[in-house]
Amino acid sequence: GENVEQHPSTLSVQEGDSAVIKCTYSDSASNYFPWYKQELGKGPQLIIDIRSNVGEKKDQRIAVTLNKTAKHFSLHITETQPEDSAVYFCAPGGGTSYGKLTFGQGTILTVHP
Amino acid sequence: EAQVTQNPRYLITVTGKKLTVTCSQNMNHEYMSWYRQDPGLGLRQIYYSMNVEVTDKGDVPEGYKVSRKEKRNFPLILESPSPNQTSLYFCASSTTSGTQETQYFGPGTRLLVL
């Protein structure tokens, strides 16, 4: 199955700083690369995704970059705000493990005012 | 409103007492899946279903059963719960492409097995 590693496991930044979370995967056939945000007491929710034919995608303060050769993709959050504090997960999909989905272990992001 | 619902949201039970956690989605999604979330381990897939009457094991299926008799419902059954099944459980659904599309998650069910 897919091996997924997410780093760092915790990230603490000051408001206004940038944050970067990296996700490394093993299945070279993976072609869908989403990031989910989980706020306290809620289920994860998609914040941005990218497909394998695109190298970068931006949506206001968040962006995702993909390096298919090296098999990793990253979440970038600029001008962080306290409401960005949450747990973030990657979950590369569409690979050879049809139907199976492996999530990264999560990154706890804390943005200090 | 498009959503995934789970019931109950909180459950305390005792070892060996059979329980069912229900999951329902109103988005006409073919793909549904169950996950458990434990501290430091992220979300681990228990079972998934590509469509009605089609189910398969995820990474941690031991001790769980599922069924998919209707497209909108995907209940999770614990025939004989044990304390190591104490966890936070999430149901999710997505369109036909399954893992190639956005997963829509329910609000979670927190289970404590004594």
Side-chain angles (χ1 to χ4, degrees):
Chain A
E2 174 94 273
N3 290 322
V4 180
E5 290 191 6
Q6 188 177 328
H7 295 282
S9 55
T10 61
L11 182 56
S12 184
V13 301
Q14 289 296 128
E15 183 176 0
D17 288 350
S18 295
V20 181
I21 304 170
K22 184 177 180 179
C23 182
T24 304
Y25 60 96
S26 62
D27 187 349
S28 57
S30 294
N31 59 11
Y32 177 62
F33 307 96
W35 284 97
Y36 292 87
K37 176 183 181 181
Q38 184 179 24
E39 296 177 337
L40 202 60
K42 297 183 178 180
Q45 190 170 16
L46 180 81
I47 54 170
I48 196 166
D49 59 8
I50 196 169
R51 298 194 185 269
S52 57
N53 58 344
V54 178
E56 181 176 356
K57 182 178 178 180
K58 282 185 180 179
D59 182 4
Q60 300 183 337
R61 296 186 300 106
I62 61 173
V64 54
T65 58
L66 171 65
N67 185 329
K68 277 220 84 179
T69 303
K71 289 188 280 189
H72 65 73
F73 61 110
S74 298
L75 174 68
H76 304 256
I77 306 174
T78 59
E79 300 171 31
T80 53
Q81 301 169 2
E83 51 264 39
D84 294 329
S85 296
V87 183
Y88 293 82
F89 293 99
C90 63
T96 54
S97 299
Y98 190 62
K100 274 195 174 186
L101 194 58
T102 301
F103 280 73
Q105 292 181 334
T107 296
I108 302 172
L109 174 63
T110 304
V111 181
H112 299 281
Chain B
E1 181 191 354
Q3 60 182 349
V4 177
T5 56
Q6 295 178 228
N7 283 292
R9 295 289 314 278
Y10 303 92
L11 180 59
I12 302 174
T13 190
V14 294
T15 298
K17 187 176 181 182
K18 181 179 178 180
L19 67 91
T20 299
V21 183
T22 64
C23 173
S24 182
Q25 50 94 5
N26 63 1
M27 295 169 280
N28 201 37
H29 285 166
E30 285 80 8
Y31 180 92
M32 297 185 75
S33 186
W34 275 103
Y35 301 88
R36 60 178 289 173
Q37 184 174 25
D38 302 290
L41 297 176
L43 289 149
R44 293 180 293 167
Q45 191 178 44
I46 303 170
Y47 269 95
Y48 62 93
S49 170
M50 301 302 288
N51 213 324
V52 175
E53 302 291 1
V54 181
T55 63
D56 208 345
K57 297 176 181 178
D59 289 325
V60 289
E62 296 77 20
Y64 303 95
K65 281 178 58 176
V66 294
S67 67
R68 188 91 182 274
K69 294 185 172 58
E70 304 167 284
K71 196 172 186 180
R72 63 182 293 127
N73 297 323
F74 190 43
L76 179 69
I77 303 157
L78 284 72
E79 294 268 2
S80 183
S82 62
N84 63 12
Q85 292 179 297
T86 292
S87 188
L88 178 58
Y89 291 87
F90 288 101
C91 179
S93 71
S94 77
T95 59
T96 308
S97 302
T99 60
Q100 297 171 330
E101 299 296 337
T102 304
Q103 302 288 307
Y104 292 86
F105 286 85
T109 295
R110 191 168 290 280
L111 172 65
L112 173 61
V113 183
L114 300 173

